[in-house]
Amino acid sequence: MIDKGETMTVLARMKWKLRAIMADRKISIHELAEQANFSASTITRWRKVDEMPKISGPEMDRLCDALKCEDIDLIGKGKFQ
């Protein structure tokens, strides 16, 4: 069994691919912010990081709906360079 502390460690090591997905979809920060109902500053902050930020399920759903992707497309295990 994984305890809560171990779960958080696993989540912290999830690679965040928002920047790459946005580039692939050719969507700007402002377009994504408007479509997913986030502020542009939130999208900018999330776009700059390589590790998955703390994000709720409903927030992830909004991002995926706007990007027309699945949550697994945004996250994935991997080595950080």
Side-chain angles (χ1 to χ4, degrees):
M1 288 240 6
I2 299 175
D3 69 25
K4 188 175 180 179
E6 290 177 22
T7 302
M8 295 306 291
T9 300
V10 170
L11 289 176
R13 297 199 46 81
M14 298 301 285
K15 189 158 182 144
W16 185 238
K17 302 176 187 174
L18 180 60
R19 188 176 339 151
I21 299 265
M22 287 178 66
D24 183 60
R25 306 284 194 281
K26 296 179 175 53
I27 188 168
S28 73
I29 290 167
H30 293 286
E31 290 170 324
L32 181 55
E34 184 177 319
Q35 290 178 22
N37 196 27
F38 290 108
S39 69
S41 63
T42 296
I43 298 298
T44 298
R45 184 171 26 92
W46 286 348
R47 192 173 175 272
K48 289 181 179 180
V49 298
D50 291 327
E51 291 184 7
M52 184 178 173
K54 290 184 181 180
I55 184 170
S56 71
E59 290 172 329
M60 180 68 88
D61 290 341
R62 290 177 10 220
L63 271 179
C64 289
D65 288 346
L67 292 167
K68 296 174 181 52
C69 70
E70 299 293 322
D71 54 2
I72 195 67
D73 297 326
L74 282 170
I75 58 175
K77 284 187 178 179
K79 293 182 179 178
F80 298 101
Q81 299 176 352

